[in-house]
Amino acid sequence: MQEYPHEYAQHDYLNPNEFIKMSGLWCIRVGHNVAKPNYQVGPKRIECYSLHFVVEGQLLLQTESGEAILQSNDLCCFFPDESYSYRIYEQKETLKLVWIAFQGPQALPLLHSLGLTQTTPVLRARCSREVWAKIDTFLQFISDQQPDETEDIGFSTELQEKLYGVFAALMKEGTTINDGKTNVDDIPWLKRSLDFMQLHALEGISIKEVAEEAGVHRSYFSDIFKKRIGVSPNRYLYRLKMEKASALIALKDRTITEVAYSVGYPSLYSFSRAFRNYYGYSPENKP
């Protein structure tokens, strides 16, 4: 890897040939890094899609739809012309990332099938051993390429096979997480409710309001939600609030009381109690 001001990284750039562009998806760059304590990217916009995978450490992500803290085995997606920025969350910990940037008419449908949208750009604990193996194989194949191979149809075919293999592994892992069944996209009201919760989690919405937005009875909504997502709707809202609160505290530009009000708590006491219950320490003592 090469040393840069804020990281050690390897970047590999591809120039898709006409044969590859006849397909629905093609890679334009990949890379991996080890971040330095001052690691920060953006705010910026890109003209393609890019999946970023957290190998180790924690990443503070800021997008137009909000903020989130990503940990090992999480991933996020950047969409074309959407503003984003990210930085190392805990400077005392090592942060390692892998990224795959791509284009093509199949890009958006594939991302949606994973549950990734502009308003829900993060997937939690999606990177299994199989996913990492597919990513490593794909990156190594690109790293080993020779300049005279890139126009060869055999090379192009194998490249596409390995790229689709990454998406296939991610989809397979997604069905395992969701109770061994199908992705949430096969239940439109559930997908709609997740988008609604991501958008309005900090505004004091109730589960009753979310169920009404989904258009189903509350008890049925809660039952299906827990079976497919793995936690209750209340726990899911709680997690969204705590992740946002932790990200705001890390910015160190406002008081704890301001953070409490910002994430929808009526008092510092109620917020501090909720934060301690979730993280195991008070917001004032956040590392």
Side-chain angles (χ1 to χ4, degrees):
M1 288 192 287
Q2 183 176 345
E3 184 174 4
Y4 296 91
H6 62 291
E7 65 180 338
Y8 298 90
Q10 177 175 328
H11 303 270
D12 290 299
Y13 301 95
L14 293 91
N15 187 19
N17 57 39
E18 291 304 314
F19 178 79
I20 288 182
K21 288 186 177 180
M22 293 170 62
S23 70
L25 187 74
W26 52 86
C27 182
I28 58 176
R29 64 176 176 269
V30 299
H32 60 97
N33 78 345
V34 177
K36 293 182 179 180
N38 64 331
Y39 183 72
Q40 181 168 343
V41 175
K44 63 184 292 187
R45 298 171 187 260
I46 56 177
E47 297 180 352
C48 60
Y49 301 91
S50 184
L51 289 175
H52 275 53
F53 305 84
V54 181
V55 181
E56 182 180 338
Q58 296 184 84
L59 183 77
L60 175 60
L61 171 68
Q62 296 173 305
T63 68
E64 294 181 7
S65 60
E67 298 178 341
I69 299 171
L70 281 70
Q71 303 185 49
S72 176
N73 298 323
D74 292 344
L75 67 96
C76 63
C77 182
F78 304 131
F79 290 78
D81 300 319
E82 291 280 324
S83 178
Y84 69 89
S85 63
Y86 54 89
R87 65 177 176 84
I88 190 170
Y89 178 67
E90 179 52 69
Q91 295 182 346
K92 295 180 181 179
E93 297 180 0
T94 300
L95 172 65
K96 297 180 181 180
L97 303 174
V98 169
W99 56 88
I100 301 175
F102 51 92
Q103 293 176 325
Q106 290 181 346
L108 196 57
L110 281 169
L111 292 171
H112 285 175
S113 72
L114 294 173
L116 289 165
T117 69
Q118 286 92 332
T119 55
T120 56
V122 174
L123 291 180
R124 302 289 185 184
R126 183 61 66 95
C127 298
S128 64
R129 277 188 191 175
E130 181 179 355
V131 170
W132 285 124
K134 294 291 185 181
I135 292 172
D136 289 343
T137 299
F138 181 57
L139 267 61
Q140 190 61 52
F141 181 74
I142 292 174
S143 179
D144 291 342
Q145 70 175 306
Q146 301 298 319
D148 58 350
E149 290 180 323
T150 58
E151 293 298 324
D152 180 74
I153 290 181
F155 171 84
S156 300
T157 302
E158 191 169 355
L159 179 68
Q160 293 303 93
E161 176 191 4
K162 288 178 170 32
L163 176 58
Y164 281 113
V166 173
F167 278 93
L170 286 169
M171 291 177 189
K172 180 180 178 180
E173 183 65 17
T175 59
T176 301
I177 291 174
N178 288 317
D179 200 35
K181 299 177 182 175
T182 57
N183 196 278
V184 297
D185 281 353
D186 71 326
I187 306 180
W189 65 258
L190 181 55
K191 180 66 173 64
R192 192 165 61 249
S193 70
L194 289 171
D195 291 342
F196 184 76
M197 293 166 83
Q198 287 277 352
L199 187 61
H200 299 291
L202 308 185
E203 299 171 16
I205 57 172
S206 66
I207 301 305
K208 179 182 178 181
E209 290 174 309
V210 180
E212 290 174 350
E213 171 66 20
V216 296
H217 190 274
R218 177 175 175 174
S219 60
Y220 178 74
F221 167 79
S222 297
D223 182 53
I224 298 301
F225 189 100
K226 185 170 183 178
K227 286 180 178 178
R228 290 301 183 99
I229 306 304
V231 295
S232 69
N234 276 319
R235 184 69 184 181
Y236 186 80
L237 275 176
Y238 178 37
R239 187 181 77 185
L240 292 176
K241 288 184 178 183
M242 291 301 100
E243 289 180 347
K244 175 66 174 180
S246 183
L248 289 176
I249 294 171
L251 296 176
K252 299 180 179 179
D253 63 351
R254 64 199 75 189
T255 66
I256 301 300
T257 300
E258 288 178 297
V259 172
Y261 292 147
S262 297
V263 298
Y265 282 84
S267 68
L268 176 60
Y269 173 76
S270 60
F271 168 70
S272 295
R273 184 175 59 180
F275 192 94
R276 181 186 293 275
N277 287 339
Y278 188 82
Y279 286 108
Y281 50 81
S282 68
E284 292 84 1
N285 294 327
K286 183 184 179 310

